[in-house]
Amino acid sequence: ICLRRQLDRPVVLRMIGRFRKEAEGYREQVMSKIRELEQSDAGSLISVHLENAFIDNESLSREFAEADCVLTPYLEFYGSSGMIGHACRYRKPLLGCLDGLLGELIRGRKLGLCVDPRDAKHFAATMLRIIDGEYDYDSEAADNYVAAADPLRFVQLLIA
């Protein structure tokens, strides 16, 4: 993939959230790849910022409001830390994993695109598709997802 031909502006990739202690080796691999990218020809086209820390709700809201899309390339796809709900609340397309509930929700509700997170080339190509707007996104489904997950609605269902 030639980013230089594909992009008309620099891309900022913000990785936010704390790596689990048992994922320290993976974090080191990510940091190594970020350093390689910064030294490559693509370094002027894409910058990667890693914030390996817990962030508060106000900061998280700001990140989602400013994002163009939300990447959820989880290798363990059984949870999402609420990323789908946050992305839907801000109507941001998701790029997620193919497998599990996460992939099913993203594909089934047309909330973005899914890839195998282990296939870096396909992941990068799919990210470019999102940047170019080449995906189906159902904003009504996003709004419905947020409404269905509303805590007040949940309580009302319990006491009804």
Side-chain angles (χ1 to χ4, degrees):
I1 296 169
C2 180
L3 288 173
R4 192 169 307 285
R5 283 182 293 172
Q6 297 277 342
L7 303 175
D8 60 354
R9 62 186 165 99
V11 170
V12 177
L13 178 60
R14 296 193 40 81
M15 299 175 67
I16 299 168
R18 185 177 300 148
F19 281 89
R20 296 186 327 254
K21 287 184 182 187
E22 59 270 17
E24 184 62 28
Y26 181 67
R27 185 188 71 79
E28 288 302 321
Q29 289 177 354
V30 168
M31 292 303 299
S32 173
K33 293 298 181 187
I34 290 171
R35 287 188 290 274
E36 282 179 32
L37 180 65
E38 289 171 343
Q39 301 301 315
S40 74
D41 289 341
S44 63
L45 299 171
I46 186 168
S47 64
V48 181
H49 302 281
L50 174 63
E51 188 167 334
N52 184 24
F54 175 81
I55 62 169
D56 59 47
N57 287 337
E58 184 179 325
S59 298
L60 186 64
S61 293
R62 187 172 41 256
E63 293 289 345
F64 276 95
E66 294 175 1
D68 292 316
C69 69
V70 176
L71 309 179
T72 57
Y74 297 118
L75 298 176
E76 296 176 7
F77 48 81
Y78 300 106
S80 72
S81 306
M83 292 297 105
I84 291 180
H86 290 298
C88 288
R89 182 170 289 111
Y90 290 93
R91 289 187 166 184
K92 304 297 180 175
L94 287 139
L95 175 51
C97 59
L98 284 169
D99 300 320
L101 181 60
L102 205 62
E104 186 179 312
L105 286 170
I106 294 169
R107 282 189 314 274
R109 295 176 185 246
K110 295 183 180 176
L111 300 174
L113 299 172
C114 296
V115 296
D116 180 347
R118 294 166 197 85
D119 184 345
K121 289 186 182 199
H122 188 222
F123 193 91
T126 306
M127 193 172 7
L128 289 174
R129 284 182 56 202
I130 286 182
I131 289 168
D132 290 339
E134 296 174 7
Y135 59 93
D136 287 333
Y137 186 79
D138 186 341
S139 58
E140 185 176 332
D143 293 344
N144 290 339
Y145 186 90
V146 172
D150 181 64
L152 181 59
R153 182 177 183 273
F154 178 73
V155 170
Q156 289 171 338
L157 287 172
L158 287 176
I159 60 175

